[in-house]
Structures are given as C-alpha cells and as structure tokens.
Amino acid sequence: MKKARVLSILFVVVLLAVAVIGEAQQAKKIPRIGVLAQSSAYFLSTQHEAFRQALRELGYMEGKNIVIEYRHAEGKLDRLPGLAGELVRLKVDLIVASSTPAALAAKNATKEIPIVFETIGDPVATGVVASLARPGGNITGVTMGGAELYGKRLELLKETIPKLSRAAILWNPTSTAAPLNLKETQAAAQALKLQIQSLEVRSPADIEPAFDAATRAKTGAMMITQNPPITTYSKRIVDLAVKHRLPLIYPQRQWPYTGGLMSYGANVDDSYRRLASYVDKILKGVKPADLPVERSTKLELVINLKAAKQIGLTISPNVLARADKVIK
C-alpha cells in the first residue's frame, strides 16, 4: 500500500515536470515571420530597414527572439504565388506582404496564417480587403494612398511646367493596381486639359524604347507607377530621364534621393514603421480582422534641384515653397 502511494506520488511529480517543461518550451517558441516582396531591391531599401528598426524597438531581435524568412520574386510577379506557397509550407506565424501583388498572392495561398500588407494602391478596389474599417478574414495592413495621388502628381507637373500640354505615364498593365492608376491619371489629365501618352513596360527591354517613344512624341513630362520592372530598374529610369531631359515625378521619396527630379506621396519609412506595430499586435494574439487598415496621411513633396539643373528645368518659387524637402 505504501509502495503504491509512493509510485502514485512519483507519477504525479513526473506529470507536473512534463507539464512545466512543455510550458517552458512553448514559452521559448520563437515566432517566424515570412516577408514576401516583389524584388530584392526591397531588402536594400530604407523602408525595409525602417520596418526592422521598428521591430527592434518593440523588442524583436532578428535571430534571437524572432526569425524572418525572406522571399522575393526578382521583379517577376508570376513568381509570387509560388513563393507565398513556400512560406505557407514553412508554417510561418505571419506573412508580411510588401505590395498589392504580394498581398493578393499571400491571400490566395492561405486563409489561416495572418497577413499584414503594405500597398500603394487601393486595397479595397484591388480585392485585397473587403473594406478599410473591416478588412475581414486573416488580412490587414497599411496603405499609402490610392489612385487619386496620380492626379495630384499630374497637377504638380503642370504647376512646375506651366506650358505642359502632353505628359506620359510609364506603367505595367500586368500589375493589379496599375489599370486603376492609369484611369485616374487620364481623368485628371482631362480636367487639366493635358494629353496623356500611355507607355507600357512589361519587361526591362521595354524601358528604353518607352523613353524613345516619349521623346519622339515631344512629351513634356512623365510619371510612373510603382510596379516591376519599373521599380526593379530604378537607376536606369532615373538615368534615362536625365538623358532625355525629361521631367519625371515619382511616387516615393527614395527616387529624388537617388537622383530623380521630384516625388509626391506617403512617407514610406513611416508606413513600414506602422506595419511593425501590426505585426506586434498580431503576434500577441489580436486577430487581423479586428485591426482596421490604416491609411497614411503624411504626404510629402521632395524636390531635387541638382536633378532639375541637369535637365535644364527651373522650379518656380511657389512649388519650392510647398516642398517638404529640397535636395540641393
């Protein structure tokens, strides 16, 4: 009887020890995040570093208490679904999608793993979420503004070049958001009494011919959509704008900081810092469906005067006065 009691006590002790060990192992489980991007350029960008820095400020140290699995499509959008599938098979705890195509690929790949996205276009119009207030399902994130910003960029070009009568837009029709951006640009052009030249760039080989076509048509200015291969070959785009002496407005501040003329759009680094807070909340148990999509309201105009001088363009004092940052 005494022996049975001792064995019973030992059994209980063993069970408690197993439970404690199990809880300790669970507590030590390191979250694994999958990051899905259109191109490797994202991982060298200031926005990616802003995201990682924000994670560090929230207590997440890569390689110590968090693991990040990186996947990029090298500018080939048709690779995104396969890469999203890889992250799902790795059973990551959360997927961060850095663009509309990446967000859609992740959304199609899983209905269970939480997804946090950052997009430039309208996530409702492109089918990423049901609404900004109630995204639904397993996905939420941050958007840097919709197609209406293309109209504003066209206005800025017109104000910068008062005699402007014809502008071009460089875009990739295979990208989900690009047709909406083109439509908004055309509507704004009509209101401003401008002609719009549509220049499709489906592959890197289309970039230089597009600039040649703009020059032949005596196009006075250009704007771009933020899609591969345009974003993948940013230096080539900037160099060709200088070569053709063509004023070009970009969606994000990194373009004028690397030699482009001017940009108007959301502060991308700020958006990615906000993205990190979504990751933190979800890893702590908040459901994506309970987190409304946040829209960036901090818009900025950046002008590079050195780039303006290279193409022989004088920026009026009125436009300069509106700039948030002037690079000299």
Side-chain angles (χ1 to χ4, degrees), residues 44-274:
L44 302 174
S45 65
T46 59
Q47 56 259 42
H48 179 52
E49 183 51 39
F51 172 67
R52 295 175 67 196
Q53 177 59 38
L55 284 178
R56 288 193 288 269
E57 291 170 2
L58 290 165
Y60 297 99
M61 305 299 292
E62 191 174 354
K64 291 185 178 180
N65 61 353
I66 194 169
V67 173
I68 302 181
E69 296 284 351
Y70 299 101
R71 296 292 185 277
H72 63 83
E74 298 178 343
K76 299 173 183 177
L77 300 183
D78 58 351
R79 291 191 60 200
L80 286 170
L83 295 173
E86 280 185 29
L87 293 174
V88 172
R89 288 189 292 276
L90 283 172
K91 296 182 179 179
V92 295
D93 296 287
L94 184 147
I95 296 175
V96 174
S98 70
S99 65
T100 298
L104 288 171
K107 182 181 179 182
N108 291 333
T110 178
K111 303 299 180 187
E112 289 80 31
I113 299 173
I115 300 166
V116 176
F117 64 79
E118 190 285 327
T119 70
I120 292 176
D122 185 336
V124 177
T126 53
V128 177
V129 294
S131 75
L132 299 184
R134 297 179 180 277
N138 60 323
I139 186 166
T140 189
V142 178
T143 176
M144 292 193 295
E148 72 279 357
L149 291 179
Y150 284 84
K152 187 63 180 176
R153 292 182 190 112
L154 205 55
E155 288 178 20
L156 283 165
L157 282 176
K158 178 67 175 174
E159 191 173 346
T160 303
I161 313 166
K163 293 183 179 180
L164 184 67
S165 61
R166 183 181 179 87
I169 181 168
L170 212 62
W171 68 297
N172 182 354
T174 66
S175 178
T176 311
L180 295 173
N181 299 333
L182 176 65
K183 185 177 179 181
E184 178 64 25
T185 302
Q186 290 170 332
Q190 189 172 6
L192 293 167
K193 298 181 180 179
L194 293 174
Q195 291 183 327
I196 283 292
Q197 182 182 14
S198 169
L199 298 171
E200 296 184 5
V201 176
R202 297 170 184 262
S203 73
D206 297 329
I207 295 174
E208 193 154 356
F211 276 87
D212 291 338
T215 300
R216 288 195 301 272
K218 297 183 179 179
T219 300
M222 184 184 285
M223 56 198 301
I224 65 167
T225 60
Q226 192 78 345
N227 317 116
I230 298 166
T231 50
T232 312
Y233 296 88
S234 56
K235 187 178 186 305
R236 187 186 299 182
I237 298 288
V238 170
D239 290 345
L240 284 168
V242 173
K243 176 184 175 181
H244 289 265
R245 299 175 67 84
L246 192 62
L248 208 161
I249 189 167
Y250 304 91
Q252 296 175 350
R253 70 195 315 238
Q254 70 262 30
W255 293 84
Y257 275 96
T258 54
L261 175 64
M262 62 197 299
S263 68
Y264 181 75
N267 184 308
V268 190
D269 295 356
D270 181 61
S271 295
Y272 274 90
R273 281 189 287 269
R274 295 183 190 185

